[in-house]
Amino acid sequence: MLSGAFMVAGALLSLAAGIGVVRFPDVLSRMHAATKPQILGLLLILIGVGLRLRTGAEVATLVLVGVFQLATAPVAAQMVGRAAYRSGRHRPDLLVVDELADAAPTTPDS
Amino acid sequence: MTVVVVIVTALLSAAALLALFRIVRGPSLLDRVVATDLLLAIIVGAVGTEAAVNRHATTLPILVVLAILGFATSVVVVRFAAREDS
C-alpha cells in the first residue's frame, strides 16, 4: 500500500511537469518544470518499486538508477540552461535577476 | 493495487502526451531537448511501475540503460544546438 502511495505521488509530479512544460513560456521555466519528475518523481517511483520487490540485487539496481539520475540531471540541466542563455532563447523580461547581463559576452563554443 | 495501477497509468499517460505535445510544437531545439528528457523520465517511471505491480525484476536493467541514455543524448544534442546557434 505504501509503495502504491509513493508511485502515485511520483506520477502526480510527472503530470505536474507535463502541464508545466506545455504552459510555461520559455526554455528556462520549462526546464524548471521538467526537472521535477527527473529527480523527485523518479526517486519516489523507485522507492515504491523497492518497497514492492525487497531483494538485495534489485534494490541495488534501483539505487544505482537513482544515484545516476541525481548525478547527471543537474549537469544536463546546466548545459541546457547555458545554451539557452547564450543563444538568446530566454525571455529577459521574465528574469527577476540577471547576473550575467553585464558579463563579457563569451563565444558559445560549448 | 489495481486502483494504483489505473491512477498511475492515467497520470503518466497524460504527462507523456503533454511532453509529446511540447516535442512536436516546441519552438526551439532546446525546448524539444527538455521535453524529451521529461518523456524519458516518464518512461522510466512507467517501466518501474510495471515491474513493481507484477513483482518481477527483469526490466530493471532497462531503467539503468534509460538513465544513462537520457543523460548522453541530452548532452550531445545540446552541444550540437550550441554549435549551430553560434
Side-chain angles (χ1 to χ4, degrees):
Chain A
M1 208 60 238
L2 192 62
S3 70
F6 273 117
M7 283 187 289
V8 168
L12 271 175
L13 277 172
S14 299
L15 181 64
I19 295 172
V21 160
V22 167
R23 288 191 56 92
F24 279 177
D26 70 339
V27 176
L28 295 182
S29 51
R30 277 173 197 150
M31 197 172 70
H32 153 75
T35 315
K36 279 159 189 49
Q38 283 181 10
I39 301 294
L40 185 56
L42 199 69
L43 287 183
L44 284 173
I45 289 183
L46 292 181
I47 290 172
V49 179
L51 286 175
R52 276 287 274 189
L53 294 177
R54 289 182 198 228
T55 44
E58 280 78 27
V59 174
T61 312
L62 294 171
V63 168
L64 180 68
V65 174
V67 167
F68 197 82
Q69 195 75 13
L70 276 177
T72 57
V75 179
Q78 200 268 343
M79 290 193 70
V80 172
R82 184 170 65 169
Y85 188 90
R86 287 188 176 173
S87 60
R89 292 270 165 64
H90 66 298
R91 297 247 310 262
D93 53 313
L94 294 177
L95 295 179
V96 178
V97 176
D98 190 355
E99 290 182 333
L100 295 175
D102 47 356
T106 51
T107 55
D109 55 351
S110 59
Chain B
M1 210 63 198
T2 318
V3 185
V4 171
V5 174
V6 171
I7 294 174
V8 169
T9 308
L11 292 173
L12 289 180
S13 306
L17 279 177
L18 292 169
L20 270 177
F21 173 80
R22 182 51 68 193
I23 292 176
V24 173
R25 286 286 300 278
S28 71
L29 184 57
L30 292 172
D31 288 310
R32 296 195 171 93
V33 172
V34 170
T36 311
D37 257 7
L38 172 61
L39 186 60
L40 212 57
I42 293 169
I43 291 171
V44 171
V47 173
T49 307
E50 191 268 337
V53 168
N54 295 329
R55 283 184 188 273
H56 65 76
T58 47
T59 53
L60 290 190
I62 299 177
L63 298 185
V64 183
V65 174
L66 280 179
I68 297 170
L69 195 67
F71 173 63
T73 51
S74 68
V75 166
V76 166
V77 175
V78 165
R79 283 186 73 94
F80 168 73
R83 187 77 46 84
E84 197 180 48
D85 284 332
S86 62

